[in-house]
Amino acid sequence: MPRRPAPGLRVFYGHDPIPAPGEPVAGGTAKFQRLASRFPNRPTDFTLLYLGSTWLPRDLRPLLLLARRRRVPIVVNQSGVAYPGWAGEATDEINRRFRRALLAADHVLYQSEFCKRSADAFLGEPRGSWEVLHNAVDVDHFTPAARPPSDGPVVLLGGDQTQAYRLELALRTFARLLAAEPEARLLVMGRLVSSPEPLIAELGLRGKVELLGRYAQRDAPDLLRRAHLLLHTKVKDPCPSAVIEAMSCGLPVVYPASGGTVELVGNEAGVGVPHADGWERDEPPPPDRLVEAVVKVLAALPTYAAAARRRAVERFALGLWLDRHAELFADLVRDAVPRGRSSRTR
């Protein structure tokens, strides 16, 4: 029987290295970057294995076996799942790795209530304990601008545009917004999966749209402060950190009313637009409905902006999130978690 590692908390995230503070991140790497600032990555002598479903290691199976042989507790941060609407025939194959990690976990952190429901439907219920813990941001780093932009209004499409419909919907929504707000501008952050230039030309948006490209976390607040509101076009988004970052900078959010985004924004920090919400295909709301929501937010922008900042600080501050991880890690390392049960801890 292999010996346990020496006592003490040492966390391994399944990858080496982890992006350093300020370096560009994508998807699940942002949370590992934040965690590693307090719990450094220890690939060799770890006493706790922490995995994220959006950034699972290639050697997942042998790593899980190693953790079990060492009797090291496993924590899984569970985000979304594959479903036919975006994954098509690859749904089962993608979910197989998610399921392997989730069922091996001693404790599962679901990023939203939506994440728990979708994981139960496509992966099964966890064998260990679990809780819902929304993502978090550094609210002292992501702060509102001293003064809102004087031109515009400026609409921001944040995050990475990894699905083509997200950018197309934003451009078509923005084109219709210009009828009500002819001085409006659109900023597009992050990676793109296809060139937007043909659609920009078709819609007559040249000179109105600025493509900001990929960015580092240290630069994100300044980019967010250039805008008045966030247009988030992804449907069924599990728990988008880009939304929390925008809210922390005082940007209200207009979005399709599905996924974990509903839990983040609530009733006061923006406007969700209802749409057909099924697993078989992604059907975002039409541009006209999103424009109505944008106009509504702009009409009461100071109220929405203040509520967005307040909600981010009260509910999604990084310090609270890290403190909860510290409590959980201490408990798991100190006490073995019995297998074969499913219970919510908080």
Side-chain angles (χ1 to χ4, degrees):
M1 176 73 67
R3 292 188 303 172
R4 284 180 179 270
L9 174 62
R10 296 180 298 279
V11 182
F12 180 40
Y13 302 102
H15 296 271
D16 185 23
I18 301 297
E23 290 183 354
V25 293
T29 58
K31 69 177 61 66
F32 290 93
Q33 186 183 65
R34 292 162 183 158
L35 280 166
S37 67
R38 184 156 169 183
F39 311 102
N41 194 29
R42 298 289 291 268
T44 59
D45 62 343
F46 60 95
T47 58
L48 185 141
L49 178 62
Y50 189 102
L51 301 174
S53 63
T54 51
W55 199 36
L56 290 173
R58 291 183 179 179
D59 57 346
L60 175 63
R61 185 192 293 270
L63 185 56
L64 293 174
L65 290 174
L66 174 62
R68 281 291 166 237
R69 285 199 301 269
R70 289 185 175 184
R71 292 176 287 170
V72 165
I74 301 168
V75 177
V76 169
N77 189 299
Q78 178 64 42
S79 181
V81 299
Y83 61 90
W86 71 265
E89 295 180 354
T91 296
D92 290 341
E93 179 181 353
I94 295 171
N95 282 336
R96 191 173 298 116
R97 281 170 54 80
F98 293 164
R99 185 178 301 111
R100 180 174 293 130
L102 184 141
L103 296 182
D106 295 290
H107 191 81
V108 180
L109 296 168
Y110 294 97
Q111 293 181 18
S112 64
E113 298 283 355
F114 169 78
C115 289
K116 176 65 167 65
R117 294 193 303 272
S118 57
D120 284 354
F122 285 90
L123 309 181
E125 296 190 5
R127 292 171 177 167
S129 56
W130 63 272
E131 66 188 277
V132 171
L133 185 66
H134 294 98
N135 289 336
V137 304
D138 185 347
V139 296
D140 295 323
H141 180 58
F142 288 89
T143 56
R147 296 182 185 83
S150 58
D151 60 345
V154 183
V155 177
L156 176 71
L157 180 66
D160 287 320
Q161 312 313 315
T162 53
Q163 294 158 296
Y165 80 84
R166 295 164 60 180
L167 178 57
E168 178 180 354
L169 178 58
L171 291 172
R172 294 191 182 281
T173 299
F174 178 69
R176 287 163 173 76
L177 176 65
L178 289 173
E181 298 284 353
E183 300 303 316
R185 293 188 296 113
L186 176 66
L187 307 179
V188 178
M189 298 174 73
R191 295 174 296 141
L192 308 179
V193 295
S194 59
S195 172
E197 295 300 337
L199 187 56
I200 288 175
E202 175 190 328
L203 297 173
L205 299 180
R206 284 196 174 129
K208 290 285 191 177
V209 178
E210 184 177 351
L211 305 177
L212 302 176
R214 196 176 182 195
Y215 57 94
Q217 282 294 94
R218 61 176 171 268
D219 302 322
D222 286 337
L223 297 176
L224 290 166
R225 294 180 192 122
R226 294 178 58 187
H228 293 95
L229 67 85
L230 179 75
L231 176 62
H232 189 70
T233 54
K234 183 177 180 180
V235 302
K236 294 189 184 66
D237 207 342
C239 186
S241 293
V243 166
I244 307 174
E245 291 169 355
M247 290 167 53
S248 189
C249 288
L251 273 64
V253 186
V254 171
Y255 65 98
S258 60
T261 312
V262 179
E263 302 168 38
L264 302 180
V265 180
N267 296 320
E268 68 271 21
V271 175
V273 179
H275 64 100
D277 186 15
W279 294 114
E280 293 305 312
R281 60 179 185 269
D282 286 337
E283 298 182 75
D288 289 342
R289 296 296 306 280
L290 288 170
V291 169
E292 292 173 3
V294 170
V295 171
K296 178 179 179 179
V297 170
L298 290 175
L301 187 59
T303 299
Y304 278 110
R309 171 64 181 176
R310 182 172 60 251
R311 187 172 176 87
V313 171
E314 292 177 353
R315 295 171 178 260
F316 309 117
L318 181 61
L320 299 175
W321 186 79
L322 290 172
D323 287 346
R324 174 56 195 146
H325 277 84
E327 295 171 0
L328 174 64
F329 291 172
D331 289 343
L332 289 173
V333 168
R334 183 179 59 247
D335 304 315
V337 178
R339 305 291 293 165
R341 65 183 179 85
S342 179
S343 62
R344 184 171 187 161
T345 60
R346 40 180 299 170

